[in-house]
Amino acid sequence: MITTARVPADKPVRIAFSLNESPDEASSENFPLTFPELDQQLQPLPPCHDSKESMQVYKQHCKIAEEYHEVKKEIALLEERKKELIARLEQVEKESMDAAQLAKEYAELTEENRTLKLAQTQCVEQLEKLRIQYQKRQGSS
């Protein structure tokens, strides 16, 4: 009798079956197979001990159940990866929007700075003209 035990990260799967076809050694206790993720109607039933075909069907069913478990585990991992990628994409989009907003704000402030510098230059020129006029009036008085 060969007994195998497999303990994946998320759900345990235990498979035990006899490769010896003798009916006196193959009893239902020799097939303590549990697939907790499978519905009850999908659980492999212990084989008929007198039938090679029943043993083959049972082993095939066990193999399919294990493959099903592996596929479900892979799907769960892929769904988790999908969530991570979506969160990362949302973060990148948020950062991109923040960068675009900052670029827009920078352009607006640059334009405002240019306008204020122009206004300052005009005010300085006007002040200089007024000083000259004031000095002329003071000199003529």
mmCIF file with all atom_site columns, all heavy atoms in Angstrom, residues 35 37-45 61 65 68:
data_model
loop_
_atom_site.group_PDB
_atom_site.id
_atom_site.type_symbol
_atom_site.label_atom_id
_atom_site.label_alt_id
_atom_site.label_comp_id
_atom_site.label_asym_id
_atom_site.label_entity_id
_atom_site.label_seq_id
_atom_site.pdbx_PDB_ins_code
_atom_site.Cartn_x
_atom_site.Cartn_y
_atom_site.Cartn_z
_atom_site.occupancy
_atom_site.B_iso_or_equiv
_atom_site.pdbx_formal_charge
_atom_site.auth_seq_id
_atom_site.auth_comp_id
_atom_site.auth_asym_id
_atom_site.auth_atom_id
_atom_site.pdbx_PDB_model_num
ATOM 1   N N   . PHE A 1 35 ? -11.386 15.771 0.150   1.00 0.00 ? 35 PHE A N   1
ATOM 2   C CA  . PHE A 1 35 ? -11.223 16.950 -0.691  1.00 0.00 ? 35 PHE A CA  1
ATOM 3   C C   . PHE A 1 35 ? -12.190 17.988 -0.146  1.00 0.00 ? 35 PHE A C   1
ATOM 4   O O   . PHE A 1 35 ? -13.322 18.076 -0.605  1.00 0.00 ? 35 PHE A O   1
ATOM 5   C CB  . PHE A 1 35 ? -11.542 16.625 -2.161  1.00 0.00 ? 35 PHE A CB  1
ATOM 6   C CG  . PHE A 1 35 ? -10.568 15.680 -2.794  1.00 0.00 ? 35 PHE A CG  1
ATOM 7   C CD1 . PHE A 1 35 ? -10.819 14.324 -2.840  1.00 0.00 ? 35 PHE A CD1 1
ATOM 8   C CD2 . PHE A 1 35 ? -9.384  16.154 -3.341  1.00 0.00 ? 35 PHE A CD2 1
ATOM 9   C CE1 . PHE A 1 35 ? -9.922  13.455 -3.426  1.00 0.00 ? 35 PHE A CE1 1
ATOM 10  C CE2 . PHE A 1 35 ? -8.481  15.287 -3.932  1.00 0.00 ? 35 PHE A CE2 1
ATOM 11  C CZ  . PHE A 1 35 ? -8.741  13.935 -3.977  1.00 0.00 ? 35 PHE A CZ  1
ATOM 12  N N   . GLU A 1 37 ? -12.607 21.057 -0.482  1.00 0.00 ? 37 GLU A N   1
ATOM 13  C CA  . GLU A 1 37 ? -13.139 22.097 -1.362  1.00 0.00 ? 37 GLU A CA  1
ATOM 14  C C   . GLU A 1 37 ? -14.199 21.572 -2.320  1.00 0.00 ? 37 GLU A C   1
ATOM 15  O O   . GLU A 1 37 ? -14.862 22.351 -2.982  1.00 0.00 ? 37 GLU A O   1
ATOM 16  C CB  . GLU A 1 37 ? -12.009 22.782 -2.131  1.00 0.00 ? 37 GLU A CB  1
ATOM 17  C CG  . GLU A 1 37 ? -11.397 21.958 -3.241  1.00 0.00 ? 37 GLU A CG  1
ATOM 18  C CD  . GLU A 1 37 ? -10.403 20.900 -2.770  1.00 0.00 ? 37 GLU A CD  1
ATOM 19  O OE1 . GLU A 1 37 ? -10.062 20.851 -1.587  1.00 0.00 ? 37 GLU A OE1 1
ATOM 20  O OE2 . GLU A 1 37 ? -9.989  20.108 -3.616  1.00 0.00 ? 37 GLU A OE2 1
ATOM 21  N N   . LEU A 1 38 ? -14.351 20.254 -2.405  1.00 0.00 ? 38 LEU A N   1
ATOM 22  C CA  . LEU A 1 38 ? -15.343 19.673 -3.315  1.00 0.00 ? 38 LEU A CA  1
ATOM 23  C C   . LEU A 1 38 ? -16.698 19.542 -2.629  1.00 0.00 ? 38 LEU A C   1
ATOM 24  O O   . LEU A 1 38 ? -16.771 19.226 -1.446  1.00 0.00 ? 38 LEU A O   1
ATOM 25  C CB  . LEU A 1 38 ? -14.908 18.285 -3.779  1.00 0.00 ? 38 LEU A CB  1
ATOM 26  C CG  . LEU A 1 38 ? -13.785 18.205 -4.804  1.00 0.00 ? 38 LEU A CG  1
ATOM 27  C CD1 . LEU A 1 38 ? -13.482 16.747 -5.118  1.00 0.00 ? 38 LEU A CD1 1
ATOM 28  C CD2 . LEU A 1 38 ? -14.121 18.941 -6.063  1.00 0.00 ? 38 LEU A CD2 1
ATOM 29  N N   . ASP A 1 39 ? -17.743 19.776 -3.393  1.00 0.00 ? 39 ASP A N   1
ATOM 30  C CA  . ASP A 1 39 ? -19.084 19.506 -2.881  1.00 0.00 ? 39 ASP A CA  1
ATOM 31  C C   . ASP A 1 39 ? -19.205 18.019 -2.580  1.00 0.00 ? 39 ASP A C   1
ATOM 32  O O   . ASP A 1 39 ? -18.505 17.193 -3.158  1.00 0.00 ? 39 ASP A O   1
ATOM 33  C CB  . ASP A 1 39 ? -20.146 19.900 -3.916  1.00 0.00 ? 39 ASP A CB  1
ATOM 34  C CG  . ASP A 1 39 ? -20.202 21.401 -4.153  1.00 0.00 ? 39 ASP A CG  1
ATOM 35  O OD1 . ASP A 1 39 ? -19.784 22.157 -3.249  1.00 0.00 ? 39 ASP A OD1 1
ATOM 36  O OD2 . ASP A 1 39 ? -20.654 21.810 -5.240  1.00 0.00 ? 39 ASP A OD2 1
ATOM 37  N N   . GLN A 1 40 ? -20.128 17.710 -1.680  1.00 0.00 ? 40 GLN A N   1
ATOM 38  C CA  . GLN A 1 40 ? -20.294 16.306 -1.268  1.00 0.00 ? 40 GLN A CA  1
ATOM 39  C C   . GLN A 1 40 ? -20.562 15.380 -2.456  1.00 0.00 ? 40 GLN A C   1
ATOM 40  O O   . GLN A 1 40 ? -20.002 14.308 -2.541  1.00 0.00 ? 40 GLN A O   1
ATOM 41  C CB  . GLN A 1 40 ? -21.434 16.196 -0.242  1.00 0.00 ? 40 GLN A CB  1
ATOM 42  C CG  . GLN A 1 40 ? -21.627 14.805 0.321   1.00 0.00 ? 40 GLN A CG  1
ATOM 43  C CD  . GLN A 1 40 ? -20.411 14.301 1.082   1.00 0.00 ? 40 GLN A CD  1
ATOM 44  O OE1 . GLN A 1 40 ? -19.721 15.068 1.728   1.00 0.00 ? 40 GLN A OE1 1
ATOM 45  N NE2 . GLN A 1 40 ? -20.148 13.014 0.999   1.00 0.00 ? 40 GLN A NE2 1
ATOM 46  N N   . GLN A 1 41 ? -21.386 15.833 -3.405  1.00 0.00 ? 41 GLN A N   1
ATOM 47  C CA  . GLN A 1 41 ? -21.716 14.971 -4.537  1.00 0.00 ? 41 GLN A CA  1
ATOM 48  C C   . GLN A 1 41 ? -20.537 14.788 -5.482  1.00 0.00 ? 41 GLN A C   1
ATOM 49  O O   . GLN A 1 41 ? -20.566 13.898 -6.334  1.00 0.00 ? 41 GLN A O   1
ATOM 50  C CB  . GLN A 1 41 ? -22.955 15.458 -5.293  1.00 0.00 ? 41 GLN A CB  1
ATOM 51  C CG  . GLN A 1 41 ? -22.757 16.719 -6.088  1.00 0.00 ? 41 GLN A CG  1
ATOM 52  C CD  . GLN A 1 41 ? -23.154 17.964 -5.329  1.00 0.00 ? 41 GLN A CD  1
ATOM 53  O OE1 . GLN A 1 41 ? -23.233 17.963 -4.117  1.00 0.00 ? 41 GLN A OE1 1
ATOM 54  N NE2 . GLN A 1 41 ? -23.386 19.049 -6.054  1.00 0.00 ? 41 GLN A NE2 1
ATOM 55  N N   . LEU A 1 42 ? -19.498 15.606 -5.356  1.00 0.00 ? 42 LEU A N   1
ATOM 56  C CA  . LEU A 1 42 ? -18.320 15.478 -6.212  1.00 0.00 ? 42 LEU A CA  1
ATOM 57  C C   . LEU A 1 42 ? -17.186 14.696 -5.544  1.00 0.00 ? 42 LEU A C   1
ATOM 58  O O   . LEU A 1 42 ? -16.184 14.413 -6.192  1.00 0.00 ? 42 LEU A O   1
ATOM 59  C CB  . LEU A 1 42 ? -17.804 16.862 -6.613  1.00 0.00 ? 42 LEU A CB  1
ATOM 60  C CG  . LEU A 1 42 ? -18.768 17.734 -7.403  1.00 0.00 ? 42 LEU A CG  1
ATOM 61  C CD1 . LEU A 1 42 ? -18.151 19.090 -7.665  1.00 0.00 ? 42 LEU A CD1 1
ATOM 62  C CD2 . LEU A 1 42 ? -19.151 17.061 -8.713  1.00 0.00 ? 42 LEU A CD2 1
ATOM 63  N N   . GLN A 1 43 ? -17.339 14.354 -4.268  1.00 0.00 ? 43 GLN A N   1
ATOM 64  C CA  . GLN A 1 43 ? -16.300 13.605 -3.565  1.00 0.00 ? 43 GLN A CA  1
ATOM 65  C C   . GLN A 1 43 ? -16.142 12.206 -4.182  1.00 0.00 ? 43 GLN A C   1
ATOM 66  O O   . GLN A 1 43 ? -17.125 11.548 -4.505  1.00 0.00 ? 43 GLN A O   1
ATOM 67  C CB  . GLN A 1 43 ? -16.666 13.432 -2.083  1.00 0.00 ? 43 GLN A CB  1
ATOM 68  C CG  . GLN A 1 43 ? -16.683 14.711 -1.292  1.00 0.00 ? 43 GLN A CG  1
ATOM 69  C CD  . GLN A 1 43 ? -15.291 15.226 -0.995  1.00 0.00 ? 43 GLN A CD  1
ATOM 70  O OE1 . GLN A 1 43 ? -14.336 14.468 -0.903  1.00 0.00 ? 43 GLN A OE1 1
ATOM 71  N NE2 . GLN A 1 43 ? -15.190 16.533 -0.853  1.00 0.00 ? 43 GLN A NE2 1
ATOM 72  N N   . PRO A 1 44 ? -14.895 11.773 -4.374  1.00 0.00 ? 44 PRO A N   1
ATOM 73  C CA  . PRO A 1 44 ? -14.686 10.408 -4.877  1.00 0.00 ? 44 PRO A CA  1
ATOM 74  C C   . PRO A 1 44 ? -15.217 9.382  -3.881  1.00 0.00 ? 44 PRO A C   1
ATOM 75  O O   . PRO A 1 44 ? -15.002 9.499  -2.684  1.00 0.00 ? 44 PRO A O   1
ATOM 76  C CB  . PRO A 1 44 ? -13.164 10.289 -5.001  1.00 0.00 ? 44 PRO A CB  1
ATOM 77  C CG  . PRO A 1 44 ? -12.652 11.677 -4.985  1.00 0.00 ? 44 PRO A CG  1
ATOM 78  C CD  . PRO A 1 44 ? -13.635 12.492 -4.211  1.00 0.00 ? 44 PRO A CD  1
ATOM 79  N N   . LEU A 1 45 ? -15.923 8.421  -4.397  1.00 0.00 ? 45 LEU A N   1
ATOM 80  C CA  . LEU A 1 45 ? -16.433 7.350  -3.550  1.00 0.00 ? 45 LEU A CA  1
ATOM 81  C C   . LEU A 1 45 ? -15.407 6.231  -3.499  1.00 0.00 ? 45 LEU A C   1
ATOM 82  O O   . LEU A 1 45 ? -14.697 5.990  -4.477  1.00 0.00 ? 45 LEU A O   1
ATOM 83  C CB  . LEU A 1 45 ? -17.746 6.811  -4.115  1.00 0.00 ? 45 LEU A CB  1
ATOM 84  C CG  . LEU A 1 45 ? -18.895 7.815  -4.200  1.00 0.00 ? 45 LEU A CG  1
ATOM 85  C CD1 . LEU A 1 45 ? -20.088 7.194  -4.899  1.00 0.00 ? 45 LEU A CD1 1
ATOM 86  C CD2 . LEU A 1 45 ? -19.270 8.316  -2.819  1.00 0.00 ? 45 LEU A CD2 1
ATOM 87  N N   . HIS A 1 61 ? -10.614 9.648  -10.594 1.00 0.00 ? 61 HIS A N   1
ATOM 88  C CA  . HIS A 1 61 ? -11.403 10.660 -9.905  1.00 0.00 ? 61 HIS A CA  1
ATOM 89  C C   . HIS A 1 61 ? -10.530 11.419 -8.899  1.00 0.00 ? 61 HIS A C   1
ATOM 90  O O   . HIS A 1 61 ? -10.603 12.645 -8.782  1.00 0.00 ? 61 HIS A O   1
ATOM 91  C CB  . HIS A 1 61 ? -12.595 10.026 -9.200  1.00 0.00 ? 61 HIS A CB  1
ATOM 92  C CG  . HIS A 1 61 ? -13.640 11.000 -8.773  1.00 0.00 ? 61 HIS A CG  1
ATOM 93  N ND1 . HIS A 1 61 ? -14.870 10.609 -8.336  1.00 0.00 ? 61 HIS A ND1 1
ATOM 94  C CD2 . HIS A 1 61 ? -13.648 12.352 -8.696  1.00 0.00 ? 61 HIS A CD2 1
ATOM 95  C CE1 . HIS A 1 61 ? -15.589 11.673 -8.011  1.00 0.00 ? 61 HIS A CE1 1
ATOM 96  N NE2 . HIS A 1 61 ? -14.860 12.744 -8.217  1.00 0.00 ? 61 HIS A NE2 1
ATOM 97  N N   . ALA A 1 65 ? -9.762  15.316 -8.979  1.00 0.00 ? 65 ALA A N   1
ATOM 98  C CA  . ALA A 1 65 ? -10.053 16.147 -7.807  1.00 0.00 ? 65 ALA A CA  1
ATOM 99  C C   . ALA A 1 65 ? -8.819  16.929 -7.387  1.00 0.00 ? 65 ALA A C   1
ATOM 100 O O   . ALA A 1 65 ? -8.907  18.116 -7.034  1.00 0.00 ? 65 ALA A O   1
ATOM 101 C CB  . ALA A 1 65 ? -10.559 15.278 -6.656  1.00 0.00 ? 65 ALA A CB  1
ATOM 102 N N   . TYR A 1 68 ? -8.317  19.654 -9.884  1.00 0.00 ? 68 TYR A N   1
ATOM 103 C CA  . TYR A 1 68 ? -9.320  20.687 -9.611  1.00 0.00 ? 68 TYR A CA  1
ATOM 104 C C   . TYR A 1 68 ? -8.849  21.582 -8.474  1.00 0.00 ? 68 TYR A C   1
ATOM 105 O O   . TYR A 1 68 ? -8.945  22.809 -8.550  1.00 0.00 ? 68 TYR A O   1
ATOM 106 C CB  . TYR A 1 68 ? -10.653 20.017 -9.261  1.00 0.00 ? 68 TYR A CB  1
ATOM 107 C CG  . TYR A 1 68 ? -11.731 20.960 -8.805  1.00 0.00 ? 68 TYR A CG  1
ATOM 108 C CD1 . TYR A 1 68 ? -12.446 21.715 -9.727  1.00 0.00 ? 68 TYR A CD1 1
ATOM 109 C CD2 . TYR A 1 68 ? -12.041 21.097 -7.457  1.00 0.00 ? 68 TYR A CD2 1
ATOM 110 C CE1 . TYR A 1 68 ? -13.448 22.582 -9.320  1.00 0.00 ? 68 TYR A CE1 1
ATOM 111 C CE2 . TYR A 1 68 ? -13.032 21.964 -7.037  1.00 0.00 ? 68 TYR A CE2 1
ATOM 112 C CZ  . TYR A 1 68 ? -13.732 22.699 -7.977  1.00 0.00 ? 68 TYR A CZ  1
ATOM 113 O OH  . TYR A 1 68 ? -14.715 23.563 -7.555  1.00 0.00 ? 68 TYR A OH  1
#
